[in-house]
Amino acid sequence: GSQIHLLLEKLPSFSPVEWPKRAVSILEKHGLYETEEDFNETIRETLAVLQDDTLSFVFSEDSLAEVSISAPLKEFSNRLMSGTIDRLVVKEKEIFVVDFKTNRMVPENPGMVPEGLLRQLGVYTSALSQIYPNHQIKPCILWTAKPMLMHLEADEVIEVLRKLADA
């Protein structure tokens, strides 16, 4: 998982023709080289994500990688949270908060997403709604095994977060 996350963070800043070579050098440089088979599968999966036209906006030049965020969460009595968002796409009226997941088992629909992942996106959604009050926050999970961008409802991930706060 950390290999794919790293490649999805670094490769978009290079020309697509360079991606295969750059992928090898990035993984070697960070000491993430495993077996040849795993290495090739990691690169194949990453390139499948980056080359998917429906996902191109996630990796466009105006997107941000590995965004550190810190904000008080109103759902938790304004307790300060901090985290790192895998990818943030800020548009004129909407913000896509994208979390990469390398799970082999990809849920068929948002209702099957594990609660912990929903909570994580709830935290990000809550924080971003305070930072960007005039934007519509769109939480998403990018499943790398498919590849597929699953859109979640902001109200639903916030509700999962609220349930945890009330527990």
Side-chain angles (χ1 to χ4, degrees), residues 3 27-28 31-43:
Q3 296 167 322
L27 292 176
E28 287 176 343
L32 295 175
Y33 182 86
E34 291 180 7
T35 67
E36 188 75 31
E37 184 177 320
D38 289 342
F39 198 62
N40 290 331
E41 177 57 25
T42 295
I43 293 171

Side-chain angles (χ1 to χ4, degrees), residues 12-92:
S13 63
F14 298 104
S15 166
V17 296
E18 295 181 69
W19 288 346
K21 266 188 180 175
R22 293 284 185 166
V24 172
S25 66
I26 289 168
L27 292 176
E28 287 176 343
K29 176 182 175 186
H30 286 85
L32 295 175
Y33 182 86
E34 291 180 7
T35 67
E36 188 75 31
E37 184 177 320
D38 289 342
F39 198 62
N40 290 331
E41 177 57 25
T42 295
I43 293 171
R44 185 207 58 75
E45 185 170 323
T46 303
L47 294 181
V49 169
L50 292 174
Q51 293 167 344
D52 187 312
D53 289 339
T54 64
L55 301 175
S56 62
F57 82 98
V58 173
F59 301 101
S60 66
E61 288 181 16
D62 64 345
S63 69
L64 304 166
E66 295 295 307
V67 178
S68 295
I69 185 171
S70 184
L73 293 183
K74 58 186 174 190
E75 295 81 7
F76 283 90
S77 304
N78 290 319
R79 191 167 132 204
L80 190 64
M81 68 68 64
S82 61
T84 303
I85 298 171
D86 291 333
R87 208 79 183 184
L88 197 63
V89 183
V90 180
K91 301 281 188 185
E92 189 175 324

Side-chain angles (χ1 to χ4, degrees), residues 51-142:
Q51 293 167 344
D52 187 312
D53 289 339
T54 64
L55 301 175
S56 62
F57 82 98
V58 173
F59 301 101
S60 66
E61 288 181 16
D62 64 345
S63 69
L64 304 166
E66 295 295 307
V67 178
S68 295
I69 185 171
S70 184
L73 293 183
K74 58 186 174 190
E75 295 81 7
F76 283 90
S77 304
N78 290 319
R79 191 167 132 204
L80 190 64
M81 68 68 64
S82 61
T84 303
I85 298 171
D86 291 333
R87 208 79 183 184
L88 197 63
V89 183
V90 180
K91 301 281 188 185
E92 189 175 324
K93 302 239 183 235
E94 55 195 9
I95 295 178
F96 293 85
V97 54
V98 181
D99 194 50
F100 304 149
K101 294 300 175 198
T102 58
N103 307 37
R104 298 296 115 208
M105 299 291 290
V106 176
E108 291 180 29
N109 60 61
M112 298 173 73
V113 173
E115 192 172 296
L117 301 182
L118 297 175
R119 265 191 243 128
Q120 178 185 3
L121 283 158
V123 168
Y124 295 155
T125 300
S126 175
L128 287 168
S129 66
Q130 294 174 63
I131 297 167
Y132 295 96
N134 298 320
H135 285 73
Q136 182 180 10
I137 310 301
K138 298 192 168 221
C140 305
I141 298 175
L142 195 159

